Amino acid sequence: MNKSNLFFLFAIMALFYSCSAPTITDDLLDGKVIFDPSLYNPEQFLVSAKYPNPTPEDLSKHIILVVHGYSATTFEWQEFKDWSNESTYRISQVLLDGHGRDYDSFKASKWEDWQSAITEEYEKLIALGYTKISIAGSSTGGTLILELVKSGYFNTHLPPKNLFLIDPIVVSSSKLQSIVGIIGPMIVYAESDQTSEENKYWYRFRPYQTINELNDVMKVVRKGLEDEIKLPTETYLKVFHSLHDPVASTTSTVLIYKGLKTSTGAPIDVQLMDSDIHVFTRLSLRSNVTTLQHANQLDAFNQIANKLN
C-alpha cells in the first residue's frame, strides 16, 4: 500500500468512529428524551398550529417558513425568530421529519421524509387562506427547497413570494462524503465533533444511511441544475454563501447561479459572505464570535425581513 492510500485510510478512520452501534445517552439529541420543543408545543413554532382559525388581519401578514439543515433542529433559525419584529410578518419554524427525535428515527428517514415537513406546513397555510408565503432554508434545507422547484411542486401550488438559501449544499466540501455509499456499511455512522450544548440541538451520531440520503438529494438537484431549472413566475430567490464554507463548497452556489434562472431567464441574486463558518446566520453556541460574523448575520436577516414587508 503506497503512502497516499495509507493517508486516505487513516483519514477515513479519523473521520468515522466505529463499525459498531454508537453509545447513546439521554443527554444527546440522539437519545430517547425529546429535546425539540416544536414536537410537544407546535403552536409555538408553526403558524398553522398557532392560528388554526386566522382572521382577515392574520391572513394579510406575510408568512416565512424557515427550514434547518441535515442533523439539525428548529434551533438553527431561533436567532432569526428572536431578532424579528413579527408585526408585518410571521415565522413558521419547520422541523424536518426524522429530525429532533432519536437516532433510530433519524436512521430510518429518507430525504423525501425530511422534505415532507416543508410541504405539509406550506399546504396547511395555503388551505387556511394565506397568500403571501416565503421560504428560507439553511444548508440541506436549501437543497430540499431547490428540489421542490426542480420537481415542479410550485407549478401546482401557490408559488412562494421569495426563496432564501443560506449556505445551500449541492457539493460537499468533504471529499470523503461522496464515498459513504461504498464504506458506509463498514463504518455504520459518523460522529460529529460538537459541544455538550450543541448535542441537544444536532445529532452527534450521523448514520451512514442518512449521509447517503443527503448525497442522493444533492445528486438530484445537481442533475436538475445541469438541465436548467426555472423559478415560478414572480418568485424571487437569493443565495447567501460563506466564502470559506467548511461543509458546503461554494461550488454549490456557482452551480446554482449557472443552472437556476428566473421565470424570464434572468440570473438569480447571489451574495458571497466573508465568512469561514457553515450556516453563518447561526451564531448561538459558537465560540469566539467576531464582529464581522455578527455583521454578516445582521446583513442577511435585514435583507430577508425587508423582502417580507
Side-chain angles (χ1 to χ4, degrees), residues 108-135:
S109 65
K110 305 294 185 184
W111 70 259
E112 292 91 345
D113 299 327
W114 310 344
Q115 188 184 67
S116 67
I118 306 172
T119 56
E120 181 179 354
E121 175 65 0
Y122 195 79
E123 290 169 27
K124 283 182 178 179
L125 292 170
I126 294 172
L128 288 171
Y130 290 96
T131 57
K132 296 185 292 184
I133 309 175
S134 295
I135 313 177

Side-chain angles (χ1 to χ4, degrees), residues 26 32 53 106 122 294:
D26 284 341
K32 299 297 183 182
N53 299 294
F106 189 35
Y122 195 79
H294 277 296

Side-chain angles (χ1 to χ4, degrees), residues 1-12:
M1 183 178 290
N2 60 40
K3 289 184 178 179
S4 62
N5 285 340
L6 275 172
F7 176 81
F8 186 66
L9 178 60
F10 285 133
I12 293 174

Side-chain angles (χ1 to χ4, degrees), residues 224-279:
L225 293 170
E226 289 172 6
D227 298 334
E228 191 172 276
I229 302 172
K230 280 197 173 181
L231 290 167
T233 303
E234 298 182 1
T235 293
Y236 171 81
L237 182 145
K238 181 161 186 175
V239 182
F240 300 86
H241 208 128
S242 292
L243 186 58
H244 306 289
D245 192 324
V247 176
S249 170
T250 49
T251 301
S252 300
T253 289
V254 171
L255 294 179
I256 295 168
Y257 183 78
K258 289 182 176 180
L260 179 63
K261 305 296 180 184
T262 68
S263 61
T264 61
I268 60 166
D269 283 348
V270 168
Q271 183 174 345
L272 292 179
M273 315 302 291
D274 185 5
S275 170
D276 61 357
I277 56 178
H278 182 56
V279 185

Side-chain angles (χ1 to χ4, degrees), residues 19-39:
C19 60
S20 60
T23 301
I24 297 174
T25 55
D26 284 341
D27 59 316
L28 304 176
L29 177 65
D30 318 55
K32 299 297 183 182
V33 176
I34 300 298
F35 282 101
D36 198 293
S38 67
L39 290 170

Side-chain angles (χ1 to χ4, degrees), residues 135-288:
I135 313 177
S138 51
S139 191
T140 302
T143 316
L144 296 170
I145 292 168
L146 286 170
E147 199 285 329
L148 287 175
V149 178
K150 177 260 176 194
S151 70
Y153 173 82
F154 296 114
N155 295 338
T156 56
H157 296 81
L158 177 75
K161 296 294 184 183
N162 306 283
L163 298 173
F164 305 101
L165 311 182
I166 306 294
D167 295 334
I169 182 166
V170 175
V171 177
S172 174
S173 295
S174 170
K175 303 302 181 185
L176 294 177
Q177 183 173 318
S178 62
I179 65 167
V180 166
I182 300 172
I183 64 173
M186 294 181 286
I187 54 89
V188 180
Y189 65 89
E191 182 175 1
S192 176
D193 181 19
Q194 57 193 37
T195 67
S196 58
E197 278 302 301
E198 288 175 321
N199 283 339
K200 299 176 183 177
Y201 305 107
W202 287 266
Y203 286 112
R204 185 176 188 89
F205 301 105
R206 287 88 187 269
Y208 83 87
Q209 294 92 339
T210 62
I211 301 174
N212 278 339
E213 292 298 317
L214 174 55
N215 285 337
D216 285 348
V217 70
M218 288 165 53
K219 191 181 302 181
V220 169
V221 171
R222 284 198 303 271
K223 180 62 170 63
L225 293 170
E226 289 172 6
D227 298 334
E228 191 172 276
I229 302 172
K230 280 197 173 181
L231 290 167
T233 303
E234 298 182 1
T235 293
Y236 171 81
L237 182 145
K238 181 161 186 175
V239 182
F240 300 86
H241 208 128
S242 292
L243 186 58
H244 306 289
D245 192 324
V247 176
S249 170
T250 49
T251 301
S252 300
T253 289
V254 171
L255 294 179
I256 295 168
Y257 183 78
K258 289 182 176 180
L260 179 63
K261 305 296 180 184
T262 68
S263 61
T264 61
I268 60 166
D269 283 348
V270 168
Q271 183 174 345
L272 292 179
M273 315 302 291
D274 185 5
S275 170
D276 61 357
I277 56 178
H278 182 56
V279 185
F280 69 89
T281 48
R282 193 276 294 183
L283 300 180
S284 181
L285 301 186
R286 296 191 194 270
S287 59
N288 304 316

